[in-house]
């Protein structure tokens, strides 16, 4: 309710004010506020109360505060400016601002609440804030890694099946804990893919060959798989020709993406392969538009050769030079599985005349350590061979542990073949330093704390059979049993607490300095 006060000079004491206030309150139901140095007289207060009551009977709605013409004009100008700013920033608040401007133009006499100006100001502020955050948000989305396929999402899996080139049969007894990972019956993809050779029109033969080798397991190991993929891309780029009415940059990027999808269907990509694909796509995007098709293809093929030579071949040589300084005469060096970088380190140290012994630890089902053992023995190195279940019994003799890695993540976690974490933890318990040898192109900004959220599942039949012992067939006939689930993990995650040093082509760094390597590697590719 709106009151009209008539102020006069204060006459009388505080008692007179109290008596007057009580009398007016009993008669009119009004309260008289006290103003510093001034009060209302009884007659004036009574007249004001009667006037307010008459106004209340005339209209049940409260009166709106009228604004002057200058204020309304200023409000309109502010709203027009807000509308223009909202349009420039692509904000959705432009529609609400235009409605307010239209109502002001059509009804200039109608009073406007001061609160509407406040609301408009808040809307403009919100739109400004939204528009200002939009560009950085897009940049962050570009930098964020692409979300991996979750195979427990039924709708996405069905869409992927329609686009798939390799028809795969889902495993009957899927492990519940790993339902988000692809679980297919092995042995059915390769024959089906071989029969479709002439049906795959857009697929280059070099990519088709590499995909078959991934399926059959003829190519394994992070560096070998990455080099084979890049060389296949090089052959595809060499034979590429831009279709009419299309640009090389966009069409070739789409073609590379289709090749990558085919390779993923054959076998999931490693982290190093993902980094190599990002490098190739970035080089395609940075091609100058003035280049001809032949010049652009030549540039890309040279970039692929440079990546293989600098990031893989030369990087391994630098790692060998750093790691050899950590080997002394009389050392007992332990390694797990078969790592190309670790093999080069051991052979180079032996060529330098250093006396040491090598312990090769192996595990089922691949038994990769046997291949490494065979090559080391042929070169004249003194070796000991054992399985991972006996690593705790031989660790007290070991002076250093050299391990390979499929990737090193941003939090220092080492992502490598399954069993690496077990060896590293046993070495940590015996206070034996663990040295991880990994090229910088395998580093990734992802953070992973376990081996469940992201992993690769191998053939479950491989762990149900004993290698080289056909007569041991205890699980024959039980593979398809409903209450039996076979799990063959390919990788595991080793926490950074169990890693003493990471040897890379950028130098020897502790696991806590891995983010620095990731930053330098990305900066190098941004300016290359």
């Amino acid at each position: 309710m709106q009151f009209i006060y008539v102020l006069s000079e204060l006459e009388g004491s505080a008692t007179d004010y109290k008596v007057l206030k009580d009398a007016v309150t009993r008669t009119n139901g009004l309260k008289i506020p006290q103003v510093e140095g001034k009060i209302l007289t009884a007659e004036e207060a009574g007249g004001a109360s009667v006037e307010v009551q008459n106004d209340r009977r005339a209209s049940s709605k409260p009166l709106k505060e009228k604004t002057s013409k200058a204020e309304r004009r200023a409000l309109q100008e502010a709203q027009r400016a807000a509308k223009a700013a909202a349009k420039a920033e692509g904000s959705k608040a432009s529609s609400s601002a235009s409605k307010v401007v239209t109502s002001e133009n059509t009804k200039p006499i109608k009073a406007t609440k001061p609160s509407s100006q406040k609301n408009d100001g808040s809307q403009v502020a919100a739109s400004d804030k939204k528009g200002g955050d939009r560009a950085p948000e897009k940049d962050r989305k570009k930098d964020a890694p692409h979300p991996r396929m979750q195979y427990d999402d039924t709708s996405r899996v069905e869409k992927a099946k329609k686009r798939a080139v390799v028809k795969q049969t889902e495993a009957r007894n899927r492990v519940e804990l790993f339902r988000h990972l692809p679980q297919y019956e092995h042995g059915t993809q390769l024959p089906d893919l071989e029969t479709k050779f002439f049906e795959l029109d857009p697929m280059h033969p070099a990519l088709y060959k590499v995909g078959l080798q991934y399926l059959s397991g003829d190519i394994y190991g992070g560096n070998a798989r990455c080099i084979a993929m890049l060389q296949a891309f090089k052959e595809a780029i060499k034979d590429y020709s831009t279709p009419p009415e299309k640009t090389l940059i966009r069409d070739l990027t789409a073609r590379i993406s289709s090749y990558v999808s085919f390779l993923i269907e054959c076998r999931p990509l490693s982290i190093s392969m993902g980094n190599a694909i990002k490098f190739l796509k970035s080089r395609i995007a940075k091609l100058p538009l003035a280049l001809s098709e032949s010049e652009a293809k030549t540039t890309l093929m040279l970039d692929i050769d440079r990546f293989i030579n600098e990031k893989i071949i030369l990087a391994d040589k630098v790692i060998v030079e750093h790691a050899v300084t950590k080997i002394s005469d009389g050392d007992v060096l332990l390694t797990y599985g078969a790592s190309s970088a670790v093999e080069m380190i051991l052979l180079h140290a032996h060529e330098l005349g250093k006396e040491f012994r090598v312990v090769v630890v192996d595990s089922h089902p691949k038994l990769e350590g046997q291949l490494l053992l065979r090559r080391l023995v042929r070169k004249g190195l003194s070796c000991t061979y054992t399985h991972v279940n006996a690593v705790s019994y031989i660790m007290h003799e070991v002076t250093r542990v050299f391990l390979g890695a499929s990737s090193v993540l941003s939090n220092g976690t080492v992502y490598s073949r399954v069993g690496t974490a077990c060896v590293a933890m046993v070495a940590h318990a015996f206070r034996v330093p663990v040295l991880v040898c990994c090229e910088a192109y395998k580093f990734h900004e992802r953070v992973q704390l376990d081996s469940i959220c992201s992993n690769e599942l191998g053939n479950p039949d491989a762990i149900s059979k004993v290698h080289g012992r056909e007569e041991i067939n205890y699980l024959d006939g039980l593979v398809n049993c409903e209450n039996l689930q076979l799990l063959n993990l390919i990788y595991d995650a080793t926490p950074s607490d169990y890693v003493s040093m990471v040897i890379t082509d950028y130098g020897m760094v502790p696991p806590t300095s891995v983010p620095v390597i990731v930053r330098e590697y990305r900066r190098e590719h941004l300016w290359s």
Side-chain angles (χ1 to χ4, degrees), residues 93-266:
S94 61
S95 58
S96 60
S98 62
K99 291 180 181 179
V100 176
V101 173
T102 305
S103 62
E104 286 295 328
N105 293 334
T106 54
K107 300 178 182 179
I109 303 176
K110 187 175 181 180
T112 306
K113 291 184 180 180
S115 60
S116 63
Q117 186 176 1
K118 181 180 180 180
N119 294 336
D120 292 337
S122 62
Q123 291 178 359
V124 172
S127 65
D128 293 341
K129 184 178 180 181
K130 186 176 180 181
D133 293 340
R134 180 164 297 179
E137 184 178 356
K138 286 185 178 180
D139 295 340
R140 288 195 298 270
K141 287 183 179 180
K142 290 179 181 179
D143 295 338
H146 187 73
R148 295 182 295 276
M149 178 71 173
Q150 299 295 321
Y151 286 83
D152 52 356
D153 189 343
T154 307
S155 61
R156 294 186 62 185
V157 170
E158 292 298 328
K159 292 180 182 178
K161 285 182 179 179
K162 295 179 181 179
R163 301 189 304 266
V165 177
V166 183
K167 301 300 180 182
Q168 299 181 351
T169 305
E170 292 187 4
R172 295 181 181 179
N173 302 331
R174 300 175 63 184
V175 182
E176 292 295 328
L177 187 60
F178 294 90
R179 289 186 69 89
H180 59 285
L181 300 177
Q183 301 184 39
Y184 297 113
E185 292 184 1
H186 292 257
T188 60
Q189 306 97 326
L190 188 59
D192 179 71
L193 191 58
E194 289 176 346
T195 59
K196 293 183 177 180
F197 177 76
F198 296 101
E199 300 177 9
L200 303 177
D201 294 334
M203 192 58 56
H204 193 273
L207 271 301
Y208 186 85
K209 179 182 178 180
V210 171
L212 290 177
Q213 291 174 331
Y214 285 171
L215 268 177
S216 60
D218 294 338
I219 299 179
Y220 60 91
N223 290 339
R225 291 172 62 193
C226 186
I227 291 175
M229 180 192 67
L230 289 176
Q231 289 177 346
F233 284 157
K234 181 181 175 181
E235 293 295 327
I237 293 173
K238 181 180 179 181
D239 299 335
Y240 171 81
S241 60
T242 308
E245 299 181 358
K246 289 188 177 181
T247 60
L248 182 142
I249 295 177
R250 291 192 176 184
D251 186 69
L252 185 56
T253 302
R255 192 73 60 87
I256 294 295
S257 298
S258 65
Y259 295 158
V260 171
S261 300
F262 171 74
L263 294 178
I264 292 176
E265 293 175 10
C266 296

